């Protein structure tokens, strides 16, 4: 784990990339600011978390880091020990954690619940939506720290790297470390995850709906080989993709409100 600081004093804010090693956009954004070294009004900690997985371009080496928080310093698995170390570094820090996804091309935010932190930071971010993960945060960083997690775009793309840099700059403005940009005048939709959408065993999968767009009852939203999955009730797909997860397509969510 690489940990650097910009600005003088004890950091109360942090930016984290490479929780997953096959999502390089966050590490790219961290390295960008460490090279640029802007003069920050508040000290900020910059962290490249899973350097070992990042070097191998794999999601993790032993276990998924974002499923094993708070970690264990005496564990056999590398990521379980690393989770303990990451959480120690972030203790007391309001944090932006940068990810990418196979399900959506543009940035959106994931939070535990839409709390005052969400309402303070997210209106300054170039995001299409806010997702409240709620009961689906077991073992994830958002459950144990003051974190706004952002999916910066399509995994492995140059666009995700560019979005990640923009999101960090906007976060630094929102917390007063850099001059603040303009607060958004538009409304950001807020979705709450309701249930997992499981995959049945198959050799090929397809998703026939768009994330954050309402699926009507009776619509075919995905296929597993020749089997069609049909919506029994309306829902909004979130993090849905054919192969982003091993055992599920993604999540069904409810649109609860807008923030703005």
């Amino acid at each position: 784990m690489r940990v650097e600081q910009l600005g003088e004093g004890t950091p109360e804010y942090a930016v984290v990339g490479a929780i997953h090693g096959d999502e390089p956009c966050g590490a790219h954004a961290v390295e960008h600011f460490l090279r640029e070294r802007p003069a920050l009004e508040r000290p900020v900690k910059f962290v490249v978390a899973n350097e070992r997985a990042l070097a191998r371009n794999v999601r993790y080496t032993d276990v998924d880091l974002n499923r094993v928080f708070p970690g264990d310093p005496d564990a056999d698995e590398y990521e379980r020990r690393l989770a303990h170390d990451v959480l120690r570094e972030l203790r007391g820090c309001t944090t932006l954690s940068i990810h990418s996804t196979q399900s959506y091309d543009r940035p959106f935010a994931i939070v535990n619940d839409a709390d005052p932190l969400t309402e303070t930071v997210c209106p300054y971010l170039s995001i299409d939506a806010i997702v409240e993960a709620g009961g689906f945060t077991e073992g994830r960083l958002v459950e144990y720290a003051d974190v706004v997690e952002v999916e910066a775009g399509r995994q492995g793309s140059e666009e995700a790297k560019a979005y990640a840099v923009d999101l960090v700059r906007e976060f630094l403005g929102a917390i007063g470390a850099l001059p603040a940009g303009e607060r958004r005048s538009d409304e950001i939709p807020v979705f709450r995850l309701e249930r997992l959408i499981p995959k049945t065993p198959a050799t090929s999968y397809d998703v026939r709906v768009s994330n954050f767009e309402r699926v009507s009852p009776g619509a075919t939203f995905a296929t597993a080989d020749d089997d069609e999955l049909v919506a029994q009730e309306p829902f909004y797909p979130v993090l849905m993709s054919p192969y982003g997860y091993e055992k599920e397509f993604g999540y069904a969510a409810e649109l609860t409100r807008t923030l703005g």
Side-chain angles (χ1 to χ4, degrees):
M1 178 172 54
R2 180 180 179 188
V3 181
E4 303 277 355
Q5 178 178 327
L6 296 178
E8 299 295 327
T10 301
E12 296 180 356
Y13 302 94
V15 175
V16 179
I19 291 288
H20 293 133
D22 60 353
E23 299 174 6
C25 60
H28 168 81
V30 167
E31 298 291 352
H32 173 89
F33 283 91
L34 292 179
R35 289 193 305 270
E36 188 180 80
R37 305 194 71 80
L40 300 185
E41 295 296 320
R42 294 182 173 182
V44 177
K45 188 177 290 189
F46 289 82
V47 179
V48 178
N50 199 338
E51 290 187 292
R52 184 179 297 180
L54 181 66
R56 300 178 188 177
N57 192 31
V58 295
R59 187 173 180 86
Y60 55 85
T61 62
D62 291 333
V63 291
D64 190 329
L65 177 58
N66 211 27
R67 300 296 185 273
V68 295
F69 286 100
D72 180 351
D74 301 316
D76 292 332
E77 301 98 336
Y78 161 70
E79 275 87 5
R80 206 175 293 274
R81 298 193 305 272
L82 180 60
H84 171 83
D85 294 339
V86 169
L87 205 55
R88 182 191 62 217
E89 288 292 342
L90 299 181
R91 188 170 293 117
C93 289
T94 297
T95 300
L96 182 74
S97 179
I98 309 167
H99 293 255
S100 55
T101 176
Q102 295 185 32
S103 66
Y104 198 70
D105 289 332
R106 284 186 43 78
F108 60 95
I110 300 176
V111 298
N112 192 8
D113 292 291
D115 56 11
L117 170 61
T118 306
E119 299 188 6
T120 299
V121 171
C122 286
Y124 291 91
L125 302 181
S126 300
I127 53 176
D128 284 359
I130 299 167
V131 176
E132 293 181 308
F136 299 92
T137 59
E138 183 178 359
R140 302 189 185 204
L141 181 60
V142 294
E143 186 177 13
Y144 293 96
D146 291 329
V147 172
V148 173
E149 183 177 292
V150 289
E151 300 284 352
R154 187 72 60 173
Q155 185 177 343
S157 70
E158 292 301 311
E159 290 80 6
K161 290 181 179 179
Y163 284 139
V165 171
D166 290 342
L167 289 162
V168 173
R169 197 178 306 278
E170 291 162 352
F171 173 73
L172 295 176
I175 64 172
L178 287 176
E182 291 188 8
R183 183 184 173 96
R184 295 171 53 156
S185 59
D186 59 334
E187 301 284 324
I188 309 171
V190 180
F191 299 86
R192 185 164 187 85
L193 301 185
E194 295 292 326
R195 58 183 172 86
L196 284 167
I197 301 176
K199 285 179 176 177
T200 57
T203 57
S204 65
Y205 300 97
D206 188 28
V207 169
R208 298 186 177 180
V209 293
S210 298
N211 282 280
F212 304 119
E213 294 185 11
R214 185 179 184 273
V215 176
S216 299
T220 297
F221 62 87
T223 61
D225 288 339
D226 295 328
D227 294 333
E228 294 187 346
L229 282 71
V230 177
Q232 302 302 308
E233 57 187 10
F235 72 93
Y236 289 85
V238 173
L239 288 164
M240 274 195 68
S241 65
Y243 301 104
Y245 297 105
E246 182 180 355
K247 297 181 179 180
E248 57 263 2
F249 283 103
Y251 298 86
E254 176 186 3
L255 176 62
T256 60
R257 64 188 179 98
T258 59
L259 176 65

